[in-house]
Amino acid sequence: MIVIALTDTPPKVRGDLSKWLLEINTGVYVGNVSARVREELWERICGNLKTG
């Protein structure tokens, strides 16, 4: 299970996360995904950081 908490997230990243994870609160995503999906989501998050 993974938990990702983000603030000031671009809509593109929120959309990617919503495809695979549940948004239990604003900016808080949880889910149980494979290692491949987890790594791909992490790459997309890191690739879309501005000044994080």
Side-chain angles (χ1 to χ4, degrees):
M1 175 177 275
I2 62 171
V3 177
I4 299 174
L6 302 172
T7 57
D8 195 24
T9 308
K12 179 180 179 179
V13 175
R14 291 180 62 131
D16 289 340
L17 292 172
S18 295
K19 289 177 189 175
W20 296 99
L21 305 172
L22 294 172
E23 187 173 16
I24 60 170
N25 203 350
T26 304
V28 180
Y29 297 88
V30 297
N32 191 11
V33 294
S34 67
R36 180 179 177 192
V37 173
R38 183 183 67 234
E39 293 299 321
E40 181 65 28
L41 288 173
W42 187 246
E43 289 297 321
R44 290 180 187 228
I45 291 168
C46 291
N48 288 294
L49 289 178
K50 294 179 183 175
T51 58

